[in-house]
Amino acid sequence: MCGIVGIIGSEFKVGDLIDGLKKLEYRGYDSAGVATVDGNGLYVSKSVGRIDALRGVVETEKAVHNGIAHTRWATHGVPSDRNAHPHTDCSGKIAVVHNGIIENYQELKKGLLERGHKFHSETDTEVISHLIEENFKGNLYQAVLETLKELRGAFAIVVIHSDIPDVMIGARKGSPLVFGCNEEKCMLASDVTPIIKYTRDVIFLEDGDVVYIQGNKARITDFSGNIVIRNRMHISWDENAAEKGGFKHFMLKEINEVPEAIESALVGRYDEKGFPVLHELDEFNLERVKRILLVACGTSYHAGLVFKYFAEKYLDIDVLIDVASEFRYRPIRITDDTLTVAISQSGETADTLESIRAIKKAGGKVIAITNVVGSTITRESDVTLFMNAGPEIGVAASKTYINQLIVLYTLALYMIKKLGKWNNIHDEISRQILNSSKIIKQIIQDPKIEQMADLYKNYNHFMYVGRGINTATAMEGALKLKEISYINAVAYAAGELKHGPIALLDPTFPVFAVVPKDSLYEKMRSNIEESKARNAKIITIATEGDKEIERISNNVIYIPQVSEDLYPLVIAPVIQLFAYYIANKRGYDPDKPRNLAKSVTVE
Ligand code: M6R
């Protein structure tokens, strides 16, 4: 996830581009850059660090007519001046800003290098400017269309060329791009926030759209050059709401970004047959792994627990997991056949980092799973699988948890394939993972989740239960609720209720049961019956079509049927939204829960 701004038309200042970027800071903030063109050439300035650092390296008062700007959230290449956008071609005339991931950039880069192109960055983006250079025969629009045919992955791009200073071209496939014009100027941006200063009538470009702007006139076509008609939308949000995409809080916005985040996590990770591809792990001899060790904290620990259940079921090897704050103080045994994985969305969690150091000291190699390129954990681990969720502003993990699950399922499937254990069950799981963004898009629109939060907002205790792989779901549900709504929420593997926690249950202590139709369904039902017999109110998350569950539930939220291994993935947004709505209805700010920080850098 990155932020793009482009302005073209009557005179404006370079500082206006940076003001636009500031509105997109939530999309990325590790480096930023700006490029402008006039009849004399292309001018590019970049700076690592937050957007304000860019003001120090550009002439903010300079008057221009055409410029693009970018704030980056690194995916390929560490945050640095070199890797900051815009990226240029060999002639130094073309500049490109890009949000998304070019899946086939390595093969494209190889060809471009063989044909003599010189690269200046480690990014996937730079291939685009060089390809446009190759395809440019005097018509920038045609050159962009030719280039788009060569790109695989998810992207939104904006392109300018110093030989044609009154033209700007944008295109989208999988990453957002919004377009708006007033009498004097046209704008392109990753969301409406930089645009509403100029106009409130915008077009949300659709996948496969290209917008060609000359001065303040524009046309939209598909990738083949056929004109397409898109409706304008009037934006009535105030600026503050617009920053949150019209949502009341970042957390709600970020849960709504899950489908886009999942697509980013999947780019380049499955081949056309649906087999997982993790080139990052080429140097690991996975065939000889007999034991997997996971360390993580909080929500990341719960993602690791899902992996444990999934991987143990199909890999026939032991998966051990511990919270990092405990792991690091215990004797650490690393054998040649141990694979160690550290999970941390921030990449800065002190306990996880110290565990990594301890593992390395004991002779282990660490695979990190994080969301932040350049974070300490990525630097100290041997290899990193990036989650590509984009920045998450809300303190409580939401889309990052879901992307952790995507990466962990993919890692497990990759090992299943490597270890020769792949069968048609895995074909189906892989197919459903590739389709999961669509399933989740539908789930997060279910109005019943908010209605249920309304019914239960005044309870001060909740018991979350699940079994098997959904024990982790119950634990994550309880953590989410307690951390943003300050309600006493406890979680147990449902079979444990009878060993003590059931004593807590009464009409004031609702049970939130995760009970999809899976192989433990009957057992879960018995546990729910036991709870009901103690007069506890029962909320269930169940599989569509399960009418039987209604008999023992006070309220049910249905989710679509998926492979039983994937319920943690599709239920995650439900538990997040339930916690979100309760916190909101109790008058708390879910984005900034008391006593908590986004990166826990203390032990
Ligand atoms: O950045 P990390 O994933 O390493 O963070 C671990 C925990 O601190 C984090 O998951 C925490 O539990 C959050 N408050 C969860 O919402």
Side-chain angles (χ1 to χ4, degrees):
M1 201 163 167
C2 300
I4 290 175
V5 180
I7 307 177
I8 180 168
S10 64
E11 186 177 297
F12 63 94
K13 291 180 180 155
V14 171
D16 293 330
L17 286 164
I18 302 176
D19 291 346
L21 284 188
K22 279 295 281 182
K23 306 269 181 220
L24 298 176
E25 200 157 25
Y26 75 88
R27 297 185 65 86
Y29 41 74
D30 61 45
S31 54
V34 58
T36 58
V37 283
D38 62 24
N40 299 318
L42 173 75
Y43 307 90
V44 181
S45 308
K46 305 175 180 191
S47 176
V48 70
R50 304 214 54 132
I51 293 164
D52 282 329
L54 187 60
R55 294 187 200 274
V57 300
V58 296
E59 248 185 275
T60 51
E61 290 302 307
K62 184 179 171 193
V64 290
H65 291 266
N66 187 0
I68 54 178
H70 186 272
T71 181
R72 182 166 185 249
W73 180 262
T75 56
H76 294 72
V78 293
S80 66
D81 283 358
R82 249 165 25 99
N83 289 334
H85 300 213
H87 289 288
T88 52
D89 64 323
C90 297
S91 73
K93 291 181 173 185
I94 298 167
V96 175
V97 285
H98 163 225
N99 167 32
I101 296 168
I102 305 301
E103 196 177 318
N104 56 336
Y105 86 99
Q106 270 165 328
E107 62 188 79
L108 292 171
K109 186 169 178 174
K110 188 165 169 277
L112 285 159
L113 284 169
E114 282 164 8
R115 297 194 293 279
H117 289 264
K118 300 266 178 302
F119 278 72
H120 300 102
S121 76
E122 302 149 284
T123 64
D124 52 337
T125 305
E126 198 181 336
V127 298
I128 306 172
S129 41
H130 292 279
L131 287 172
I132 295 173
E133 177 189 15
E134 274 195 352
N135 291 320
F136 183 69
K137 312 272 181 300
N139 182 330
L140 185 60
Y141 173 69
Q142 283 304 333
V144 171
L145 290 191
E146 287 305 312
T147 301
L148 291 171
K149 285 184 200 149
E150 299 179 68
L151 305 179
R152 280 208 317 266
F155 52 82
I157 59 169
V158 183
V159 184
I160 54 175
H161 192 305
S162 60
D163 284 352
I164 318 150
D166 61 341
V167 166
M168 176 179 287
I169 296 170
R172 102 156 247 184
K173 185 183 156 229
S175 299
L177 195 61
V178 187
F179 164 61
C181 284
N182 62 18
E183 299 290 291
E184 301 170 338
K185 293 183 183 62
C186 289
M187 280 72 51
L188 281 165
S190 297
D191 78 22
V192 294
T193 45
I195 299 182
I196 54 178
K197 176 176 161 192
Y198 302 94
T199 176
R200 285 181 169 273
D201 293 313
V202 300
I203 291 173
F204 290 85
L205 295 173
E206 293 181 18
D207 282 347
D209 285 356
V210 182
V211 57
Y212 172 86
I213 312 170
Q214 188 163 25
N216 69 338
K217 299 265 177 303
R219 66 169 190 262
I220 303 174
T221 69
D222 61 18
F223 282 11
S224 306
N226 304 307
I227 296 283
V228 291
I229 307 295
R230 299 280 173 240
N231 293 332
R232 262 171 231 278
M233 219 172 128
H234 184 75
I235 303 296
S236 49
W237 308 325
D238 64 25
E239 282 218 17
N240 192 21
E243 196 190 0
K244 299 187 183 103
F247 295 100
K248 188 169 176 190
H249 295 102
F250 279 110
M251 183 173 174
L252 186 57
K253 173 173 182 284
E254 285 157 1
I255 295 170
N256 277 273
E257 282 166 1
V258 164
E260 182 192 343
I262 289 179
E263 287 300 324
S264 301
L266 290 173
V267 170
R269 292 211 160 120
Y270 288 81
D271 67 16
E272 57 291 346
K273 291 191 178 132
F275 292 134
V277 183
L278 291 175
H279 289 305
E280 298 95 322
L281 303 187
D282 283 352
E283 63 173 276
F284 281 76
N285 191 354
L286 296 175
E287 284 84 353
R288 69 174 201 187
V289 170
K290 293 274 179 310
R291 182 174 169 257
I292 304 176
L293 199 57
L294 299 161
V295 285
C297 303
T299 291
S300 299
Y301 170 76
H302 299 149
L305 264 184
V306 172
F307 175 88
K308 174 184 165 66
Y309 277 94
F310 183 64
E312 278 187 341
K313 179 171 169 184
Y314 294 111
L315 280 171
D316 198 22
I317 55 179
D318 291 330
V319 180
L320 312 174
I321 177 162
D322 206 349
V323 288
S325 54
E326 286 298 311
F327 174 86
R328 53 178 296 214
Y329 294 112
R330 295 214 320 269
I332 296 172
R333 217 163 54 83
I334 303 287
T335 49
D336 282 351
D337 51 13
T338 306
L339 179 74
T340 56
V341 181
I343 314 161
S344 168
Q345 63 77 26
S346 64
E348 299 294 347
T349 301
D351 288 318
T352 311
L353 183 58
E354 288 303 333
S355 296
I356 291 170
R357 288 174 180 158
I359 291 165
K360 298 211 72 168
K361 206 162 155 210
K365 276 177 120 185
V366 178
I367 300 174
I369 296 179
T370 93
N371 195 34
V372 184
V373 177
S375 57
T376 314
I377 283 178
T378 69
R379 293 198 304 273
E380 299 208 13
S381 301
D382 295 280
V383 68
T384 304
L385 299 176
F386 288 105
M387 290 151 47
N388 298 336
E392 190 174 66
I393 311 283
V395 164
S398 57
K399 63 176 176 171
T400 55
Y401 174 61
I402 290 166
N403 271 29
Q404 280 172 344
L405 293 179
I406 291 282
V407 173
L408 285 161
Y409 278 119
T410 305
L411 173 60
L413 288 172
Y414 185 69
M415 293 193 64
I416 289 166
K417 184 85 180 46
K418 281 261 167 199
L419 292 152
K421 294 179 184 294
W422 190 278
N423 60 38
N424 54 0
I425 295 178
H426 307 112
D427 284 331
E428 181 57 18
I429 293 172
S430 145
R431 194 189 64 72
Q432 291 186 15
I433 288 176
L434 290 167
N435 195 38
S436 59
S437 66
K438 294 184 194 72
I439 301 174
I440 287 182
K441 201 170 190 170
Q442 177 196 334
I443 290 172
I444 55 186
Q445 281 157 9
D446 185 353
K448 267 201 111 180
I449 307 171
E450 181 168 9
Q451 287 159 13
M452 211 161 70
D454 210 35
L455 288 175
Y456 285 90
K457 62 179 185 281
N458 294 323
Y459 286 86
N460 289 322
H461 310 278
F462 279 84
M463 174 76 71
Y464 279 71
V465 289
R467 290 189 84 129
I469 200 165
N470 284 303
T471 306
T473 310
M475 290 169 78
E476 178 57 10
L479 175 64
K480 222 64 319 159
L481 188 65
K482 76 181 102 178
E483 68 182 341
I484 60 173
S485 65
Y486 321 136
I487 289 172
N488 172 38
V490 289
Y492 281 93
E496 276 294 289
L497 277 179
K498 58 185 176 294
H499 297 294
I502 201 164
L504 290 167
L505 299 184
D506 68 16
T508 69
F509 211 127
V511 172
F512 191 112
V514 182
V515 54
K517 273 273 177 156
D518 60 11
S519 38
L520 292 166
Y521 175 77
E522 296 300 335
K523 301 279 171 212
M524 266 305 288
R525 264 194 27 202
S526 306
N527 299 135
I528 295 169
E529 298 270 16
E530 288 157 18
S531 307
K532 198 169 171 57
R534 272 70 187 180
N535 294 320
K537 293 231 171 326
I538 311 289
I539 306 166
T540 49
I541 299 192
T543 304
E544 261 164 24
D546 179 7
K547 292 290 162 207
E548 181 57 20
I549 204 73
E550 291 177 11
R551 191 182 56 77
I552 51 171
S553 313
N554 294 83
N555 301 88
V556 188
I557 293 182
Y558 285 111
I559 34 122
Q561 180 172 14
V562 293
S563 146
E564 70 169 36
D565 302 304
L566 294 182
Y567 280 115
L569 180 65
V570 298
I571 295 173
V574 179
I575 55 167
Q576 292 171 357
L577 284 168
F578 182 71
Y580 166 79
Y581 286 122
I582 291 213
N584 185 34
K585 286 171 195 297
R586 285 171 81 111
Y588 299 123
D589 178 354
D591 288 341
K592 296 191 188 95
R594 68 187 182 205
N595 310 336
L596 296 179
K598 189 75 189 159
S599 300
V600 185
T601 52
V602 291
E603 294 173 31

